[in-house]
Amino acid sequence: MAKNNANPSKLLIAAGGVVYMFLYIPLAVVVLFSFNDSKLNAEWVGFTWKWYDKLFQNGDILHAAANSLIIALISALLATILGTLAGLAIYRFRQKWLSALVLGPIAMPDILIGVSLLLMFILFNVTLGMTSIILAHVSFCIGFVALAVQSRLSGMDQSLVEAARDLGATPFQAFRLVTLPLLKPGIIAGGMMAFTLSIDDFVITFFTAGVGSSTLPLEIYSMVKIAVTPEVNAVSTLLMLVTLVLITALSRISPTVLRN
Amino acid sequence: MPNRAERLSRILLSLPPGLYLLLLFAVPSLMMLFASFRFSGEYGGLAPWYYIEDGQFTLDLTLENWQRLFESDIYLGLLLKSLAYALATTLICVIMAYPLALMIARSKKRHRDLLLLLVILPFWSNFLVRIYAWMIIFSPQGALTAALNAVTSSLGLEPITLMFSGTAVITCLVYVHLPFMILPLYANLEKHDHRLLDAAQDLGANRFQCFWLITWPLSLPGIYAGAVLVFIPSLGIFAIPDLLGGTNGIMIGNVIKQQFVESRDWPFGSVLSLVLTAITLVLVLLAAKLGSPAGENNGKK
């Protein structure tokens, strides 16, 4: 098999290092200025916690964070159930139409999903709010769960199911006692992926949100549209921290999922 | 032998997700297609698509919205500009992703996972946070603008502003999409057989020839895969030009958003969305063709 025993040259390491800096410096700037005792994100004045204090007194942001959490939990739950079913169906019956429906929302630019759902919700008289956001989030999360489940299924030893059947298990028993436990890591990973995608989503939420259903990304958007304040840095830093914790948990459960 | 249980499980498994996505993906897309032929309502939204007069049913549809697309250069120009921005983003992503992906692929096996994780990590921070970071960096009071203007003034040039420009938009587009290029490129480079390079070296090829005649052509499928993942989302973006582009940097996504949210001209918004959909579909099919086994074999010859 292919062996890579070449070491990267010094030039390559230097170039790679520059790209890593490009990836991290902007985020480092955000974190750094969240502790800066100045209203301008321009130069370092001194250390402070005050932007975090202000953040926890900001009712709008706390309300939006709660909304984000509720939406992400419900969307992830529904998407996990539907996505697992879809993954099983596509794997076992090779249904092209379902595969197209599941992957469609992943391939399309977010804005198209957002505006077409907005159009439908209004025409069908669905009030824009938490429900419409959840309906929208589930539709683009199903595909990611289905993919995680499918990749787990294709790595599974099918002879285990056959053995269970030979030993007298009904198809349903074989599924419940053999397939499902083996699928569990894939399902959990898919569900966590759906949760992260939902809590992070801005574009689709932007078009499907109504009055009082603002989420954290929407709140950040309206804040930065008005002015750049260190409070945004503080909320951004906290968000990064939360994501970091989630990713660590995800990598413990299923190390392969992150790479897909 | 499709027995009854088999058929039942088939229905139980595929019906719930199938029905859901039919209702919340296929139906809205078709409604948008239909909306592009309707008149817009008096107060935004859509006018009824038929009327009944003296018991006679008449359709009330139009091609007006589609004609409007070609009536002036504004929208086609904007579309071209968006395509140019997405193309520039993709090319810059290739240039920046290549050394990093190659470096990771040639690192020791036990280091690779960590190096890859470091690529993915910033990508998991919120999309708006990543845009906001560039709003700080490009801000007129920021250190970068100050440093650049120190240089320009010493050269006797006009001071420059970074914020609200096409440059700012493309930089941020690259920043947001770079991991989508690095990962497929790495997945490709990692599989290369290093003995090919050894053989080429033994036969007298220099380092540049080794790269240009072996590594580069072999990596093309990875680049195509990454290009789709970068180009398509870049094309439809509206938040980045909205926050960093000002009036000069707007893209087609901004106009779509404007039609649906501000001017509430849904039929024309639908036309623009469908044009974007068509471009996306063509690109996805093209990529599927380039990324197919046949395409990969061509790369390996």
Side-chain angles (χ1 to χ4, degrees):
Chain A
M1 263 314 286
K3 271 254 165 79
N4 257 318
N5 43 17
N7 288 318
S9 67
K10 285 206 175 83
L11 187 71
L12 206 53
I13 293 177
V18 170
V19 179
Y20 274 127
M21 277 163 61
F22 175 74
L23 286 174
Y24 280 92
I25 286 177
L27 295 180
V29 167
V30 172
V31 175
L32 184 73
F33 281 134
S34 78
F35 299 109
N36 187 21
D37 198 3
S38 153
K39 218 165 163 34
L40 294 172
N41 277 302
E43 57 179 338
W44 183 256
V45 176
F47 184 88
T48 181
W49 284 109
K50 79 174 172 203
W51 305 115
Y52 290 89
D53 276 342
K54 269 188 110 170
L55 193 65
F56 285 107
Q57 285 155 21
N58 185 330
D60 288 346
I61 284 202
L62 294 179
H63 183 66
N67 281 349
S68 281
L69 203 62
I70 295 167
I71 290 167
L73 280 172
I74 301 177
S75 305
L77 185 71
L78 293 174
T80 306
I81 297 169
L82 292 171
T84 305
L85 294 178
L88 282 164
I90 294 169
Y91 181 76
R92 274 185 56 186
F93 307 114
R94 312 258 156 230
Q95 285 160 311
K96 282 239 168 85
W97 64 273
L98 189 60
S99 188
L101 272 180
V102 163
L103 297 178
I106 300 181
M108 284 291 151
D110 290 349
I111 188 170
L112 296 175
I113 313 268
V115 294
S116 63
L117 281 168
L118 170 70
L119 194 82
M120 186 183 76
F121 286 146
I122 301 283
L123 291 182
F124 285 174
N125 282 321
V126 178
T127 315
L128 296 181
M130 302 280 272
T131 316
S132 59
I133 299 175
I134 291 169
L135 286 172
H137 282 199
V138 172
S139 74
F140 75 82
C141 287
I142 289 178
F144 289 95
V145 180
L147 285 178
V149 168
Q150 263 175 281
S151 85
R152 184 82 192 166
L153 276 168
S154 54
M156 212 172 85
D157 188 356
Q158 280 300 315
S159 60
L160 289 170
V161 179
E162 282 161 32
R165 296 279 281 130
D166 286 347
L167 292 167
T170 64
F172 179 69
Q173 280 175 325
F175 172 76
R176 192 170 60 91
L177 298 170
V178 179
T179 312
L180 205 56
L182 285 171
L183 268 187
K184 217 165 137 192
I187 296 174
I188 294 176
M192 290 182 82
M193 189 107 141
F195 180 85
T196 349
L197 287 167
S198 165
I199 210 162
D200 251 1
D201 178 72
F202 164 68
V203 177
I204 293 167
T205 316
F206 179 84
F207 289 105
T208 51
V211 182
S213 62
S214 182
T215 65
L216 207 45
L218 288 189
E219 202 60 38
I220 296 178
Y221 177 75
S222 54
M223 278 171 91
V224 300
K225 271 236 105 165
I226 299 163
V228 172
T229 85
E231 233 179 305
V232 182
N233 297 51
V235 69
S236 303
T237 306
L238 286 179
L239 259 180
M240 277 185 238
L241 204 66
V242 171
T243 323
L244 206 60
V245 171
L246 271 177
I247 295 301
T248 316
L250 190 63
S251 66
R252 288 273 160 80
I253 293 165
S254 174
T256 50
V257 152
L258 285 179
R259 245 167 287 152
N260 300 333
Chain B
M1 286 177 291
N3 54 30
R4 191 185 266 174
E6 177 90 0
R7 240 178 307 160
L8 188 70
S9 69
R10 192 178 182 135
I11 290 171
L12 282 178
L13 288 177
S14 52
L15 206 60
L19 214 57
Y20 190 94
L21 288 166
L22 207 65
L23 267 174
L24 282 129
F25 175 61
V27 169
S29 307
L30 291 175
M31 284 176 88
M32 199 158 78
L33 182 64
F34 189 52
S36 73
F37 297 104
R38 290 172 66 172
F39 288 102
S40 62
E42 241 172 281
Y43 306 104
L46 298 169
W49 55 276
Y50 64 89
Y51 56 90
I52 296 170
E53 213 174 47
D54 304 330
Q56 195 155 17
F57 177 90
T58 317
L59 281 176
D60 198 16
L61 299 174
T62 176
L63 285 172
E64 213 172 66
N65 308 306
W66 287 92
Q67 284 161 349
R68 200 173 141 198
L69 184 64
F70 303 99
E71 259 165 21
S72 73
D73 311 337
I74 299 176
Y75 300 107
L76 290 179
L78 203 60
L79 205 60
L80 277 180
K81 185 177 146 201
S82 306
L83 285 167
Y85 276 19
L87 188 67
T89 303
T90 311
L91 290 177
I92 297 170
C93 277
V94 173
I95 294 168
M96 291 189 79
Y98 216 105
L100 189 61
L102 198 60
M103 181 197 102
I104 300 174
R106 290 189 178 169
S107 298
K108 290 195 177 69
K109 257 214 164 77
R110 60 197 154 91
H111 294 153
R112 284 188 213 162
D113 277 348
L114 179 68
L115 289 172
L116 271 183
L117 186 69
L118 286 175
V119 171
I120 304 169
L121 221 50
F123 156 77
W124 281 102
S125 65
N126 189 279
F127 173 62
L128 283 167
V129 171
R130 282 176 286 158
I131 303 175
Y132 176 64
W134 288 98
M135 291 176 74
I136 298 177
I137 293 174
F138 286 141
S139 87
Q141 299 96 18
L144 186 64
T145 310
L148 282 175
N149 279 331
V151 175
T152 50
S153 70
S154 73
L155 294 171
L157 298 169
E158 291 277 298
I160 50 166
T161 49
L162 295 164
M163 195 63 176
F164 302 130
S165 65
T167 317
V169 173
I170 292 173
T171 309
C172 194
L173 280 171
V174 169
Y175 183 69
V176 166
H177 296 108
L178 191 57
F180 292 123
M181 183 61 83
I182 297 175
L183 296 180
L185 194 52
Y186 162 78
N188 170 288
L189 290 170
E190 187 230 20
K191 278 184 269 172
H192 288 193
D193 190 341
H194 194 259
R195 286 171 304 185
L196 287 172
L197 292 179
D198 289 341
Q201 234 161 6
D202 289 347
L203 293 169
N206 63 31
R207 274 164 104 184
F208 175 76
Q209 286 170 318
C210 278
F211 175 77
W212 188 243
L213 297 172
I214 296 170
T215 308
W216 173 257
L218 281 176
S219 68
L220 285 177
I223 290 180
Y224 295 147
V228 177
L229 295 177
V230 172
F231 193 91
I232 292 176
S234 303
L235 193 60
I237 217 118
F238 80 85
I240 293 176
D242 204 29
L243 294 170
L244 290 167
T247 41
N248 299 320
I250 66 165
M251 293 172 71
I252 194 76
N254 299 80
V255 184
I256 293 178
K257 176 207 150 199
Q258 197 192 356
Q259 298 300 325
F260 276 95
V261 180
E262 284 126 38
S263 36
R264 289 185 43 94
D265 185 345
W266 289 3
F268 190 58
S270 298
V271 167
L272 293 173
S273 303
L274 287 163
V275 173
L276 192 56
T277 310
I279 296 173
T280 306
L281 282 177
V282 169
L283 289 171
V284 168
L285 292 176
L286 198 71
K289 214 169 177 191
L290 284 172
S292 70
E296 223 158 295
N297 283 340
N298 288 340
K300 270 177 188 147
K301 262 172 207 164

